[in-house]
Amino acid sequence: MSRRHRIALVGCGDIAETGHLPALLAHPRFELVAACDIRPERARLLAGRAGGIRVLTDYRALVEDRSIDAVVLALHPEHSVDAAIAFLGAGTAVLDEKPLACTLADGERVA
């Protein structure tokens, strides 16, 4: 089997819980290693369902973590722009499941 990609899930709301989490856990080439949400109880809930992975409340703690191959951003679009820019700037692959941005100016910042 090819190498497994180490993934962090940033944003632990309903979409992350019912969509992203099961998909990440079911894929043989993904290893979910962190759950991050400003609501610690939500991060802990998803981390527990993933088998006890790392729990964080601030995505910035993951930005320079070279052990993370990619992040899934399950954030509201008005919050995902800064996170996407930070991770992309650090060379981390990003899946932003929401619209790229709420405004043209924010979309240009990401681009």
Side-chain angles (χ1 to χ4, degrees), residues 13-85:
D14 293 336
I15 300 297
E17 182 179 6
T18 61
H20 295 297
L21 181 67
L24 291 167
L25 295 176
H27 198 290
R29 297 218 18 229
F30 295 152
E31 177 185 2
L32 188 60
V33 297
C36 179
D37 197 286
I38 60 171
R39 299 164 302 167
E41 69 280 2
R42 289 299 299 174
R44 282 192 300 271
L45 174 69
L46 272 61
R49 292 187 179 168
I53 60 174
R54 232 168 111 192
V55 172
L56 299 105
T57 57
D58 189 336
Y59 75 86
R60 292 172 290 197
L62 294 167
V63 171
E64 297 301 325
D65 185 340
R66 295 291 104 217
S67 72
I68 304 288
D69 298 309
V71 296
V72 174
L73 299 181
L75 303 169
H76 291 279
E78 60 271 15
H79 302 294
S80 67
V81 170
D82 290 332
I85 290 169

